[in-house]
């Protein structure tokens, strides 16, 4: 997960939260869960493979007990499902899922784009990275056809070039019909599915 000193934040969070999402332990008890690497980050001298200093540095947290306390809050925000509570925690703890620079976020998206993603990867952070990956693929496909998103708004929902792009996105990525329908202005997600299958004229 750590490469050249740059942690893939969303994936690290996903790994740390796996026991919680699997119902093996409560978030408040995660620090005591021995089967996770999470407690080991709190060691006075964590194993060198954890690269805690670089990891916390990417989040702009200090390499100290205080920094790990801030990361614990960060994880709590990542796992909160209630929108109202999440907003409240966001105001209290941070300014979003990535508090690093715009350049770092861009680099993170590039690195994620090179990964072969799994269907069961989840969480808000990974979802945002995944949609960025879909967006890059969409931009490339539109450019190949000499089109634009502005034209997508003007042209019919079932324009042939839109259907071609939708079909390729579904074949090459894990982009959902809902996301494709919104980006290409193709109507209801079910319509996208039928257009791809050739069931709508």
């Amino acid at each position: 997960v750590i490469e050249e000193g740059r942690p893939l934040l969303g994936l690290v969070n996903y790994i740390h939260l796996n026991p919680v999402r699997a119902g093996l332990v409560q978030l408040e008890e995660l620090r005591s869960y021995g089967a996770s690497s999470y407690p080991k980050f709190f060691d006075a001298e964590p194993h060198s493979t954890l690269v805690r200093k670089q990891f916390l540095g990417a989040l702009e947290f200090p390499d100290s007990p205080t920094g790990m306390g801030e990361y614990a809050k960060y994880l709590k925000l990542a796992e909160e499902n209630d929108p109202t509570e999440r907003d409240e925690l966001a105001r209290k703890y941070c300014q979003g899922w990535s508090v690093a620079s715009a350049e770092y976020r861009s680099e993170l998206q590039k690195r994620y784009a090179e990964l072969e993603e799994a269907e069961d990867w989840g969480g808000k952070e990974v979802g945002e990275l995944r949609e960025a990956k879909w967006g890059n693929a969409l931009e490339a496909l539109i450019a190949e056809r000499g089109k634009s998103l502005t034209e997508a708004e003007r042209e019919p929902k079932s324009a042939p070039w839109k259907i071609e792009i939708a079909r390729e996105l579904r074949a090459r990525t894990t982009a959902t019909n809902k996301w494709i329908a919104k980006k290409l202005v193709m109507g209801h997600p079910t319509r996208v599915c039928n257009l791809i299958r050739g069931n709508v004229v």
Side-chain angles (χ1 to χ4, degrees):
V1 175
I2 305 295
E3 182 180 349
E4 297 178 6
R6 292 178 179 268
L8 298 178
L9 301 177
L11 297 185
V12 174
N13 290 346
Y14 177 75
I15 291 169
H16 284 164
L17 288 169
N18 256 339
V20 177
R21 292 170 176 168
L24 300 176
V25 65
Q26 295 296 312
L27 181 60
E28 294 75 15
E29 303 167 341
L30 186 58
R31 186 172 172 178
S32 301
Y33 187 66
S36 169
S37 65
Y38 177 71
K40 297 175 178 62
F41 275 77
F42 286 87
D43 291 346
E45 295 184 10
H47 194 280
S48 60
T49 56
L50 294 180
V51 202
R52 185 180 68 188
K53 183 176 181 179
Q54 292 93 323
F55 176 72
L56 291 175
L59 286 164
E60 298 183 0
F61 297 152
D63 182 21
S64 67
T66 298
M68 282 307 300
E70 291 301 309
Y71 178 60
K73 295 175 183 178
Y74 180 86
L75 270 190
K76 183 177 181 181
L77 174 61
E79 182 60 6
E80 180 54 57
N81 293 317
D82 182 271
T84 302
E85 180 65 18
R86 186 186 300 117
D87 289 345
E88 181 61 31
L89 288 172
R91 285 192 292 271
K92 183 178 180 181
Y93 294 152
C94 67
Q95 299 176 351
W97 69 266
S98 177
V99 294
S101 67
E103 291 78 9
Y104 174 75
R105 291 195 296 272
S106 176
E107 178 66 17
L108 180 61
Q109 290 177 356
K110 289 178 182 177
R111 289 173 179 271
Y112 181 85
E114 296 171 358
L115 297 177
E116 183 176 349
E117 61 187 73
E119 291 284 352
D120 60 351
W121 283 2
K124 180 175 182 292
E125 304 90 348
V126 176
E128 291 176 9
L129 290 171
R130 177 180 284 131
E131 289 195 17
K133 183 176 181 179
W134 299 345
N136 291 337
L138 174 60
E139 288 178 9
L141 290 169
I142 287 178
E144 286 175 9
R145 290 161 175 78
K147 297 289 185 177
S148 69
L149 290 177
T150 300
E151 289 177 87
E153 294 177 0
R154 294 197 304 257
E155 296 194 18
K157 296 176 181 177
S158 57
W161 68 273
K162 289 187 182 184
I163 299 173
E164 289 177 6
I165 289 178
R167 187 175 290 120
E168 289 197 47
L169 280 171
R170 290 293 292 164
R172 298 184 187 181
T173 74
T174 59
T176 64
N177 288 332
K178 181 178 180 180
W179 186 88
I180 294 171
K182 180 178 179 181
K183 293 296 182 179
L184 289 175
V185 194
M186 296 179 72
H188 194 276
T190 302
R191 180 181 179 82
V192 173
C193 181
N194 289 330
L195 286 169
I196 290 174
R197 294 175 179 175
N199 297 333
V200 176
V201 179

